[in-house]
Every structure is written in structure tokens, then in C-alpha cells.
Amino acid sequence: MKTLNFLVIGKNQEILETLKRIIENNEGWKAEIRSDETVCLDYIKENEVDIVLLSSGLDEKFENEIKVFCSTLDKDVKVIDHYGGGSGLLKNEVYTLFPNLQP
């Protein structure tokens, strides 16, 4: 099974920790969380990231910047705007991007 590496970015630490727990409850899914936008672009460049998950509290300028940044990389990094809705919605968003991983 392919490992999916997530970078979860948001401003609410409690929500970030909850998302990390939900993500890592899935076999082969790993998550790093960040609340400081200034380190995110370097993290994506220097680490294996499959999905950038945008959580609550980010400003629109940063969200647009990271989407453009990810689209210009040589590696295929997907971006998900995720603002809640539970683990079922999150799984659906991931499986839409990676349909070959559906159980």
C-alpha cells in the first residue's frame, strides 16, 4: 500500500491535532501539522508531501500562494481545502484525488 504524506496547515492547534489523529488512523497515512505559514513552502520542497491539507484560519492570499506553489513543483502535490465535515468527508476528498487507493 502506498504511504500518503500529508502536510496539514491551519491556525487552530486543537483542530490540527484532531486532523493529524484522524489522518493517522488510516493505514499508511502520515501527517505533519504546521500553524506557521512561513515554514510551509520550505517543508514542501524538502520533504515528501503528497497532500497539502488547508484547514481553518488561513488567509486567502496564503491559500492562493501555496496552491500556485504546489502546481509549479516537479513533484505531484495535491491541495485540499478542508474546513470540517468529519473523517468521512476527508476520506472522500482523498479518494477523489487517489481513486486507486479506495478499499
XYZ file of all heavy atoms in Angstrom:
826
model
N 0.844 -1.183 0.000
C 0.000 0.000 0.000
C 0.887 1.244 0.000
O 1.861 1.330 0.727
C -0.903 -0.014 1.232
C -1.619 1.302 1.468
S -2.693 1.255 2.899
C -4.214 1.615 2.066
N 0.522 2.212 -0.803
C 1.264 3.467 -0.877
C 1.057 4.282 0.398
O -0.037 4.404 0.906
C 0.779 4.282 -2.078
C 1.428 5.658 -2.165
C 0.874 6.459 -3.323
C 1.311 7.888 -3.389
N 2.605 8.278 -2.937
N 2.149 4.846 0.891
C 2.055 5.763 2.020
C 1.680 7.132 1.490
O 2.239 7.597 0.496
C 3.407 5.852 2.764
O 3.723 4.571 3.280
C 3.344 6.865 3.891
N 0.702 7.771 2.126
C 0.331 9.150 1.788
C 0.867 10.056 2.874
O 0.606 9.842 4.054
C -1.192 9.307 1.710
C -1.878 8.798 0.465
C -3.376 9.097 0.543
C -1.309 9.416 -0.790
N 1.622 11.049 2.455
C 2.199 12.020 3.380
C 1.449 13.334 3.266
O 1.404 13.934 2.190
C 3.680 12.220 3.063
C 4.466 10.955 3.281
O 4.560 10.470 4.394
N 5.008 10.396 2.211
N 0.875 13.758 4.384
C 0.082 14.977 4.450
C 0.878 16.079 5.154
O 1.581 15.808 6.125
C -1.180 14.767 5.291
C -2.214 13.862 4.686
C -2.031 12.487 4.636
C -3.406 14.381 4.203
C -3.001 11.656 4.115
C -4.390 13.553 3.681
C -4.176 12.191 3.632
N 0.697 17.303 4.681
C 1.082 18.485 5.439
C -0.215 19.220 5.717
O -0.898 19.653 4.787
C 2.045 19.383 4.662
C 2.380 20.706 5.348
C 3.046 20.471 6.709
C 3.241 21.579 4.458
N -0.580 19.317 6.983
C -1.828 19.963 7.386
C -1.475 21.345 7.923
O -0.680 21.469 8.853
C -2.566 19.138 8.458
C -3.902 19.784 8.792
C -2.747 17.693 7.995
N -2.070 22.369 7.318
C -1.761 23.748 7.684
C -3.025 24.433 8.165
O -4.070 24.370 7.498
C -1.202 24.525 6.476
C -0.050 23.760 5.824
C -0.752 25.924 6.902
C 0.352 24.305 4.458
N -2.932 25.101 9.295
C -4.071 25.839 9.835
C -3.642 26.644 11.042
O -2.485 26.595 11.464
N -4.568 27.357 11.632
C -4.263 28.239 12.755
C -4.756 27.719 14.101
O -4.306 28.179 15.127
C -4.844 29.635 12.510
C -4.129 30.385 11.413
C -2.690 30.598 11.801
C -1.944 31.445 10.812
N -0.560 31.628 11.197
N -5.671 26.761 14.101
C -6.225 26.259 15.346
C -5.508 24.964 15.723
O -5.706 23.925 15.082
C -7.730 26.027 15.196
C -8.389 25.596 16.474
O -7.984 24.633 17.114
N -9.437 26.308 16.847
N -4.668 25.019 16.768
C -3.842 23.877 17.137
C -4.670 22.649 17.494
O -4.316 21.520 17.141
C -2.919 24.250 18.305
C -1.843 23.238 18.578
C -0.846 23.085 17.431
O -0.560 24.025 16.698
N -0.334 21.884 17.265
N -5.789 22.842 18.170
C -6.648 21.710 18.538
C -7.201 21.018 17.295
O -7.225 19.781 17.222
C -7.785 22.198 19.436
C -8.618 21.094 20.012
C -9.681 21.590 20.983
O -9.471 22.640 21.627
O -10.718 20.918 21.088
N -7.629 21.797 16.318
C -8.136 21.211 15.068
C -7.013 20.494 14.325
O -7.205 19.391 13.804
C -8.791 22.293 14.182
C -10.087 22.789 14.824
C -9.058 21.756 12.775
C -10.731 23.966 14.129
N -5.828 21.093 14.295
C -4.690 20.455 13.624
C -4.372 19.102 14.258
O -4.142 18.116 13.546
C -3.461 21.358 13.675
C -3.521 22.640 12.854
C -2.275 23.480 13.082
C -3.708 22.339 11.379
N -4.366 19.048 15.568
C -4.073 17.789 16.253
C -5.162 16.752 15.995
O -4.872 15.555 15.852
C -3.884 18.050 17.744
C -2.597 18.810 18.026
C -2.470 19.313 19.458
O -3.317 18.957 20.311
O -1.524 20.074 19.722
N -6.408 17.197 15.925
C -7.508 16.282 15.609
C -7.364 15.737 14.191
O -7.527 14.535 13.955
C -8.867 16.992 15.773
O -9.010 17.403 17.134
C -10.019 16.084 15.388
N -7.042 16.620 13.241
C -6.850 16.172 11.856
C -5.696 15.184 11.755
O -5.790 14.183 11.042
C -6.623 17.368 10.931
C -7.867 18.196 10.622
C -7.487 19.504 9.936
C -8.839 17.401 9.759
N -4.618 15.447 12.462
C -3.472 14.518 12.461
C -3.909 13.144 12.970
O -3.588 12.118 12.355
C -2.341 15.076 13.324
C -1.114 14.168 13.396
C -0.017 14.813 14.219
C 1.173 13.906 14.424
N 1.930 13.596 13.242
N -4.660 13.119 14.050
C -5.139 11.853 14.615
C -6.050 11.123 13.627
O -5.910 9.909 13.411
C -5.872 12.108 15.928
C -6.369 10.849 16.619
C -7.057 11.141 17.938
N -7.952 12.274 17.948
C -9.197 12.290 17.450
N -9.689 11.209 16.889
N -9.949 13.371 17.525
N -6.968 11.867 12.995
C -7.891 11.256 12.028
C -7.124 10.698 10.837
O -7.377 9.579 10.380
C -8.953 12.285 11.571
C -9.931 12.570 12.715
C -9.691 11.794 10.329
C -10.852 13.746 12.459
N -6.190 11.481 10.319
C -5.400 11.034 9.171
C -4.621 9.779 9.525
O -4.636 8.788 8.786
C -4.462 12.164 8.695
C -5.284 13.278 8.033
C -3.389 11.630 7.753
C -4.525 14.579 7.814
N -3.942 9.792 10.667
C -3.070 8.677 11.022
C -3.825 7.444 11.521
O -3.209 6.398 11.726
C -2.005 9.150 12.013
C -1.047 10.114 11.323
C 0.130 10.542 12.153
O 0.121 10.338 13.394
O 1.077 11.088 11.551
N -5.150 7.544 11.649
C -5.967 6.364 11.930
C -6.144 5.503 10.690
O -6.695 4.407 10.771
C -7.345 6.766 12.474
C -7.318 7.015 13.964
O -6.435 6.549 14.676
N -8.290 7.765 14.446
N -5.689 5.995 9.541
C -5.760 5.250 8.286
C -4.396 4.624 8.011
O -3.371 5.309 8.083
C -6.142 6.192 7.137
C -7.545 6.717 7.296
O -8.499 6.037 6.979
N -7.668 7.935 7.813
N -4.408 3.356 7.685
C -3.151 2.649 7.432
C -2.390 3.307 6.286
O -2.941 3.563 5.210
C -3.449 1.196 7.076
C -2.212 0.365 6.879
C -2.521 -1.069 6.537
O -3.646 -1.531 6.781
O -1.612 -1.727 6.008
N -1.124 3.623 6.553
C -0.268 4.185 5.518
C -0.383 5.689 5.340
O 0.260 6.243 4.459
N -1.188 6.348 6.151
C -1.327 7.805 6.063
C -0.525 8.436 7.202
O -0.693 8.066 8.364
C -2.775 8.231 6.158
C -3.646 7.820 5.009
C -3.374 6.912 4.024
C -4.964 8.302 4.723
N -4.427 6.796 3.157
C -5.428 7.637 3.564
C -5.799 9.218 5.346
C -6.674 7.882 3.007
C -7.051 9.457 4.793
C -7.476 8.800 3.626
N 0.323 9.387 6.858
C 1.149 10.102 7.838
C 0.881 11.593 7.716
O 0.676 12.094 6.612
C 2.639 9.839 7.583
C 3.027 8.379 7.581
C 2.908 7.784 8.952
C 3.314 6.319 8.923
N 2.740 5.555 9.961
N 0.909 12.308 8.834
C 0.611 13.743 8.808
C 1.611 14.538 9.627
O 2.006 14.126 10.715
C -0.798 14.004 9.342
N 1.997 15.660 9.077
C 2.742 16.692 9.793
C 1.820 17.899 9.868
O 1.090 18.179 8.903
C 4.024 17.071 9.053
C 5.091 16.017 9.110
C 5.658 15.817 10.511
O 5.765 16.812 11.260
O 5.975 14.678 10.853
N 1.850 18.604 10.981
C 0.990 19.780 11.128
C 1.851 21.024 11.305
O 2.912 20.972 11.922
C -0.022 19.617 12.285
C 0.683 19.320 13.608
C -1.036 18.528 11.959
C -0.256 19.249 14.808
N 1.372 22.124 10.741
C 2.059 23.405 10.851
C 1.027 24.512 10.995
O 0.012 24.528 10.298
C 2.902 23.708 9.608
C 4.044 22.749 9.349
C 5.151 22.928 10.371
N 6.304 22.101 10.096
C 6.453 20.843 10.510
N 5.514 20.267 11.213
N 7.547 20.163 10.233
N 1.328 25.458 11.891
C 0.469 26.634 12.041
C 1.190 27.897 11.584
O 0.578 28.951 11.485
C 0.006 26.787 13.491
O 1.122 26.901 14.350
N 2.468 27.783 11.278
C 3.270 28.921 10.827
C 3.458 28.815 9.313
O 4.212 27.957 8.832
C 4.621 28.914 11.548
C 5.532 30.060 11.143
O 5.144 30.885 10.293
O 6.648 30.124 11.690
N 2.791 29.686 8.578
C 2.839 29.623 7.112
C 4.246 29.820 6.559
O 4.564 29.329 5.485
C 1.923 30.668 6.469
C 0.462 30.496 6.758
C -0.028 31.474 7.807
O 0.701 31.724 8.790
O -1.143 31.990 7.655
N 5.095 30.542 7.284
C 6.413 30.899 6.752
C 7.310 29.682 6.537
O 8.261 29.756 5.761
C 7.137 31.910 7.666
O 7.340 31.322 8.953
C 6.336 33.188 7.805
N 7.034 28.573 7.199
C 7.881 27.388 7.051
C 7.311 26.360 6.080
O 7.982 25.378 5.747
C 8.139 26.718 8.424
C 8.843 27.668 9.368
C 6.854 26.188 9.033
N 6.110 26.574 5.602
C 5.413 25.545 4.814
C 6.017 25.318 3.431
O 6.149 24.170 3.003
C 3.933 25.897 4.694
S 3.087 25.800 6.289
N 6.372 26.371 2.738
C 6.913 26.196 1.391
C 8.230 25.426 1.444
O 8.453 24.511 0.645
C 7.090 27.545 0.698
C 5.813 28.377 0.515
C 6.116 29.666 -0.238
C 4.705 27.606 -0.162
N 9.094 25.775 2.389
C 10.351 25.042 2.540
C 10.101 23.594 2.930
O 10.781 22.693 2.443
C 11.253 25.718 3.575
C 11.891 26.990 3.050
O 12.021 27.137 1.814
O 12.248 27.847 3.876
N 9.137 23.367 3.804
C 8.826 21.993 4.209
C 8.418 21.170 2.982
O 8.875 20.036 2.808
C 7.714 21.954 5.266
C 7.432 20.545 5.717
C 8.142 19.987 6.775
C 6.493 19.757 5.068
C 7.917 18.678 7.178
C 6.264 18.441 5.456
C 6.974 17.912 6.503
O 6.761 16.605 6.881
N 7.575 21.731 2.137
C 7.114 21.009 0.938
C 8.281 20.723 0.003
O 8.383 19.636 -0.565
C 6.001 21.802 0.227
C 4.759 21.873 1.126
C 5.660 21.173 -1.125
C 3.730 22.886 0.671
N 9.175 21.685 -0.159
C 10.336 21.496 -1.034
C 11.270 20.414 -0.511
O 11.827 19.644 -1.288
C 11.138 22.801 -1.163
C 10.544 23.798 -2.126
C 11.515 24.920 -2.430
C 11.434 25.981 -1.357
N 12.202 27.204 -1.672
N 11.431 20.341 0.790
C 12.461 19.490 1.391
C 11.956 18.116 1.829
O 12.762 17.267 2.216
C 13.077 20.211 2.589
C 13.794 21.483 2.194
C 14.157 22.370 3.378
O 13.942 21.952 4.540
O 14.647 23.485 3.127
N 10.655 17.888 1.790
C 10.091 16.627 2.273
C 9.145 16.030 1.245
O 8.647 16.723 0.364
C 9.332 16.866 3.583
C 10.260 17.288 4.694
O 10.876 16.464 5.348
N 10.381 18.597 4.908
N 8.896 14.747 1.417
C 7.931 14.077 0.550
C 6.525 14.414 1.045
O 6.138 14.039 2.148
C 8.154 12.567 0.580
C 7.272 11.840 -0.398
C 7.555 10.348 -0.429
O 8.663 9.932 -0.081
O 6.621 9.613 -0.792
N 5.800 15.150 0.242
C 4.430 15.552 0.576
C 3.543 15.179 -0.604
O 3.812 15.574 -1.735
C 4.336 17.070 0.860
C 2.888 17.480 1.096
C 5.210 17.462 2.036
N 2.490 14.413 -0.322
C 1.520 14.058 -1.358
C 0.324 14.995 -1.343
O -0.225 15.325 -2.394
C 1.027 12.619 -1.157
C 2.157 11.617 -1.240
O 2.793 11.538 -2.306
O 2.417 10.933 -0.232
N -0.082 15.400 -0.129
C -1.281 16.224 0.031
C -1.002 17.356 1.003
O -0.515 17.120 2.111
C -2.469 15.395 0.559
C -2.843 14.299 -0.438
C -3.674 16.293 0.852
C -3.896 13.340 0.065
N -1.329 18.570 0.585
C -1.361 19.714 1.487
C -2.825 19.917 1.845
O -3.655 20.135 0.957
C -0.772 20.985 0.835
C -0.965 22.189 1.731
C 0.703 20.779 0.518
N -3.133 19.803 3.112
C -4.500 19.959 3.595
C -4.618 21.324 4.264
O -3.963 21.585 5.272
C -4.823 18.843 4.594
C -6.274 18.726 5.031
C -7.107 18.151 3.902
C -6.387 17.857 6.256
N -5.412 22.206 3.675
C -5.598 23.548 4.207
C -6.778 23.538 5.163
O -7.902 23.240 4.770
C -5.836 24.546 3.070
C -4.732 24.628 2.018
C -5.122 25.587 0.905
C -3.401 25.021 2.647
N -6.506 23.880 6.411
C -7.529 23.904 7.446
C -7.959 25.344 7.709
O -7.635 26.253 6.944
C -6.982 23.231 8.707
O -7.986 23.114 9.695
N -8.628 25.560 8.806
C -9.227 26.867 9.091
C -8.206 27.894 9.579
O -7.142 27.553 10.081
C -10.322 26.704 10.152
O -9.760 26.179 11.335
N -8.566 29.169 9.387
C -7.788 30.273 9.922
C -6.749 30.866 8.996
O -6.093 31.838 9.355
N -6.568 30.305 7.817
C -5.565 30.813 6.884
C -6.159 31.937 6.047
O -7.340 31.901 5.701
C -5.077 29.690 5.969
C -4.476 28.479 6.670
C -4.246 27.358 5.680
C -3.188 28.865 7.389
N -5.313 32.896 5.686
C -5.852 33.961 4.843
C -5.819 33.539 3.371
O -5.059 32.661 2.964
C -5.155 35.307 5.081
C -3.715 35.361 4.632
O -3.377 34.756 3.598
O -2.919 36.042 5.303
N -6.693 34.148 2.608
C -6.885 33.776 1.210
C -5.606 33.957 0.394
O -5.309 33.150 -0.492
C -8.020 34.611 0.613
C -8.412 34.199 -0.773
C -9.614 34.975 -1.304
O -10.306 35.652 -0.517
O -9.851 34.896 -2.512
N -4.834 34.979 0.700
C -3.590 35.222 -0.039
C -2.635 34.043 0.116
O -2.058 33.565 -0.863
C -2.925 36.508 0.456
C -1.641 36.832 -0.252
C -1.008 38.096 0.288
C 0.312 38.338 -0.437
N 1.213 39.184 0.288
N -2.471 33.552 1.348
C -1.594 32.409 1.577
C -2.135 31.156 0.883
O -1.379 30.402 0.272
C -1.399 32.134 3.070
C -0.646 30.864 3.317
C 0.727 30.805 3.102
C -1.300 29.713 3.733
C 1.429 29.628 3.298
C -0.609 28.530 3.936
C 0.762 28.488 3.719
N -3.434 30.923 0.978
C -4.031 29.748 0.333
C -3.758 29.759 -1.168
O -3.389 28.739 -1.746
C -5.532 29.683 0.608
C -5.854 29.315 2.038
C -7.344 29.153 2.298
O -8.148 29.287 1.351
O -7.700 28.874 3.452
N -3.938 30.916 -1.796
C -3.668 31.023 -3.227
C -2.187 30.812 -3.526
O -1.826 30.137 -4.492
C -4.140 32.370 -3.764
C -5.653 32.468 -3.789
O -6.362 31.477 -3.929
N -6.164 33.673 -3.638
N -1.330 31.390 -2.688
C 0.107 31.256 -2.881
C 0.555 29.799 -2.819
O 1.331 29.335 -3.660
C 0.848 32.069 -1.814
C 2.352 31.950 -1.873
C 3.056 32.670 -0.728
O 2.398 33.348 0.086
O 4.289 32.532 -0.645
N 0.059 29.062 -1.846
C 0.504 27.669 -1.710
C -0.057 26.801 -2.834
O 0.610 25.871 -3.306
C 0.182 27.105 -0.306
C 1.083 25.918 -0.029
C -1.268 26.730 -0.163
C 1.326 25.631 1.415
N -1.251 27.101 -3.306
C -1.809 26.344 -4.437
C -0.976 26.561 -5.697
O -0.666 25.600 -6.421
C -3.262 26.757 -4.681
C -4.206 26.265 -3.620
C -5.604 26.821 -3.822
C -6.513 26.426 -2.676
N -7.852 27.020 -2.796
N -0.599 27.801 -5.959
C 0.240 28.100 -7.123
C 1.602 27.434 -6.963
O 2.126 26.809 -7.890
C 0.383 29.631 -7.331
C 1.454 29.961 -8.348
C -0.953 30.226 -7.738
N 2.192 27.548 -5.769
C 3.485 26.946 -5.494
C 3.459 25.444 -5.769
O 4.342 24.913 -6.449
C 3.893 27.229 -4.038
C 5.153 26.564 -3.619
C 6.385 27.078 -3.988
C 5.116 25.409 -2.838
C 7.564 26.446 -3.594
C 6.284 24.781 -2.442
C 7.510 25.306 -2.824
N 2.454 24.752 -5.248
C 2.366 23.299 -5.434
C 2.180 22.923 -6.896
O 2.700 21.898 -7.353
C 1.247 22.719 -4.578
S 1.615 22.723 -2.807
N 1.476 23.745 -7.643
C 1.237 23.439 -9.058
C 2.496 23.618 -9.906
O 2.556 23.108 -11.019
C 0.090 24.291 -9.607
O 0.504 25.630 -9.757
N 3.494 24.334 -9.403
C 4.710 24.575 -10.180
C 5.840 23.612 -9.829
O 6.902 23.669 -10.454
C 5.213 26.021 -9.967
O 5.560 26.205 -8.598
C 4.172 27.039 -10.385
N 5.640 22.746 -8.871
C 6.684 21.815 -8.451
C 6.847 20.682 -9.451
O 5.911 20.328 -10.167
C 6.339 21.222 -7.074
C 6.320 22.183 -5.910
C 5.789 21.489 -4.668
C 7.712 22.754 -5.653
N 8.029 20.096 -9.460
C 8.277 18.926 -10.300
C 7.584 17.679 -9.755
O 7.355 16.729 -10.470
C 9.778 18.656 -10.407
C 10.488 19.689 -11.260
O 9.837 20.334 -12.104
O 11.706 19.867 -11.070
N 7.274 17.697 -8.456
C 6.576 16.556 -7.867
C 5.078 16.871 -7.801
O 4.681 18.022 -7.786
C 7.137 16.219 -6.490
C 7.263 17.388 -5.541
C 8.016 16.967 -4.293
C 8.177 18.119 -3.336
N 8.836 17.717 -2.106
N 4.283 15.822 -7.777
C 2.820 15.968 -7.825
C 2.255 16.112 -6.416
O 2.037 15.111 -5.728
C 2.212 14.763 -8.536
C 0.734 14.924 -8.791
O 0.249 16.071 -8.828
O 0.060 13.894 -8.974
N 2.043 17.344 -5.987
C 1.485 17.627 -4.664
C 0.057 18.120 -4.847
O -0.176 19.114 -5.534
C 2.322 18.683 -3.911
C 1.713 18.973 -2.549
C 3.770 18.221 -3.765
N -0.884 17.424 -4.249
C -2.297 17.810 -4.320
C -2.634 18.732 -3.157
O -2.060 18.615 -2.073
C -3.201 16.578 -4.234
C -2.822 15.441 -5.145
C -3.228 15.690 -6.546
C -3.043 14.403 -7.360
N -2.931 14.630 -8.749
N -3.597 19.630 -3.366
C -4.039 20.551 -2.316
C -5.525 20.331 -2.081
O -6.311 20.294 -3.028
C -3.761 22.019 -2.690
C -4.242 22.960 -1.592
C -2.280 22.236 -2.972
N -5.888 20.178 -0.817
C -7.293 20.029 -0.427
C -7.664 21.177 0.498
O -6.990 21.413 1.498
C -7.546 18.696 0.312
C -7.271 17.501 -0.600
C -8.980 18.641 0.851
C -7.381 16.149 0.099
N -8.724 21.890 0.148
C -9.328 22.874 1.059
C -10.262 22.090 1.968
O -11.286 21.586 1.516
C -10.151 23.916 0.289
C -9.294 24.786 -0.611
O -8.307 25.353 -0.117
O -9.610 24.897 -1.810
N -9.899 21.982 3.232
C -10.719 21.181 4.159
C -11.082 22.048 5.360
O -10.213 22.457 6.122
C -9.954 19.942 4.628
C -10.753 19.070 5.529
N -11.725 18.213 5.054
C -10.758 18.932 6.866
C -12.281 17.585 6.069
N -11.711 18.007 7.194
N -12.350 22.301 5.511
C -12.796 23.177 6.595
C -13.776 22.476 7.521
O -14.610 23.098 8.145
C -13.404 24.451 6.015
C -12.445 25.156 5.096
C -12.656 25.178 3.731
C -11.299 25.753 5.594
C -11.763 25.813 2.887
C -10.389 26.379 4.753
C -10.638 26.403 3.411
O -9.743 27.017 2.572
N -13.670 21.167 7.604
C -14.527 20.418 8.504
C -15.401 19.446 7.754
O -15.291 19.277 6.548
N -16.248 18.763 8.489
C -17.164 17.830 7.874
C -16.923 16.388 8.292
O -17.623 15.492 7.870
N -15.908 16.154 9.099
C -15.698 14.821 9.641
C -14.765 13.968 8.815
O -14.346 14.317 7.719
N -14.459 12.809 9.384
C -13.485 11.911 8.767
C -13.997 11.315 7.462
O -13.211 11.036 6.560
C -13.090 10.808 9.735
O -14.218 10.050 10.107
N -15.303 11.117 7.345
C -15.863 10.573 6.104
C -15.643 11.505 4.934
O -15.274 11.067 3.836
N -15.843 12.791 5.148
C -15.614 13.774 4.093
C -14.135 13.819 3.723
O -13.784 13.856 2.544
C -16.095 15.162 4.517
C -15.827 16.289 3.521
C -16.517 16.032 2.195
C -16.260 17.622 4.100
N -13.278 13.794 4.721
C -11.839 13.830 4.457
C -11.414 12.626 3.613
O -10.691 12.766 2.623
C -11.056 13.869 5.767
C -9.534 13.842 5.631
C -9.029 15.018 4.818
C -8.883 13.823 7.001
N -11.868 11.448 3.967
C -11.533 10.257 3.188
C -12.037 10.387 1.758
O -11.336 10.027 0.808
C -12.128 8.998 3.829
C -11.391 8.528 5.026
C -12.018 7.253 5.555
C -11.293 6.773 6.783
N -11.885 5.539 7.329
N -13.242 10.898 1.590
C -13.803 11.081 0.266
C -12.954 12.053 -0.552
O -12.712 11.824 -1.746
C -15.250 11.571 0.360
C -15.954 11.538 -0.971
O -15.710 10.656 -1.788
N -16.829 12.506 -1.197
N -12.499 13.131 0.080
C -11.647 14.100 -0.616
C -10.332 13.451 -1.060
O -9.861 13.674 -2.177
C -11.353 15.299 0.300
C -12.562 16.161 0.570
C -12.366 17.179 1.694
O -11.539 16.935 2.606
O -13.058 18.202 1.655
N -9.760 12.624 -0.201
C -8.505 11.946 -0.532
C -8.726 10.926 -1.637
O -7.971 10.872 -2.620
C -7.892 11.285 0.717
C -6.703 10.404 0.342
C -7.482 12.342 1.732
N -9.760 10.119 -1.526
C -10.012 9.086 -2.531
C -10.407 9.680 -3.879
O -10.207 9.039 -4.914
C -11.062 8.090 -2.041
C -10.584 7.228 -0.902
C -11.433 6.865 0.128
C -9.274 6.757 -0.847
C -11.001 6.061 1.179
C -8.827 5.965 0.203
C -9.699 5.628 1.207
O -9.264 4.833 2.242
N -10.941 10.882 -3.887
C -11.219 11.558 -5.155
C -9.906 11.869 -5.868
O -9.806 11.747 -7.097
C -12.017 12.855 -4.914
O -13.282 12.508 -4.341
C -12.247 13.625 -6.200
N -8.884 12.256 -5.114
C -7.577 12.560 -5.696
C -6.773 11.301 -6.014
O -5.939 11.292 -6.916
C -6.763 13.444 -4.731
C -7.333 14.821 -4.449
C -6.504 15.535 -3.388
C -7.373 15.654 -5.729
N -6.976 10.241 -5.228
C -6.237 8.988 -5.379
C -7.232 7.813 -5.455
O -7.306 7.003 -4.532
C -5.281 8.776 -4.198
C -4.204 9.819 -4.087
C -4.385 10.944 -3.308
C -3.012 9.661 -4.785
C -3.390 11.910 -3.209
C -2.019 10.619 -4.695
C -2.195 11.755 -3.910
N -7.997 7.709 -6.544
C -9.037 6.672 -6.618
C -8.481 5.244 -6.544
O -9.178 4.343 -6.091
C -9.710 6.928 -7.962
C -8.794 7.817 -8.723
C -7.941 8.530 -7.733
N -7.223 5.056 -6.915
C -6.631 3.719 -6.853
C -6.396 3.237 -5.429
O -6.123 2.060 -5.217
C -5.314 3.694 -7.636
C -4.309 4.709 -7.123
O -4.680 5.854 -6.821
N -3.068 4.330 -7.033
N -6.529 4.121 -4.444
C -6.315 3.739 -3.056
C -7.609 3.343 -2.340
O -7.560 2.909 -1.190
C -5.676 4.904 -2.273
C -4.290 5.329 -2.742
C -3.794 6.491 -1.885
C -3.320 4.174 -2.698
N -8.734 3.475 -3.006
C -10.011 3.139 -2.362
C -10.025 1.664 -2.000
O -9.616 0.817 -2.787
C -11.180 3.451 -3.294
C -11.418 4.920 -3.444
C -12.688 5.205 -4.240
O -13.529 4.340 -4.418
N -12.816 6.425 -4.704
N -10.500 1.377 -0.779
C -10.540 -0.038 -0.352
C -11.589 -0.828 -1.110
O -12.474 -0.331 -1.675
C -10.893 0.056 1.137
C -11.383 1.433 1.388
C -10.954 2.268 0.225
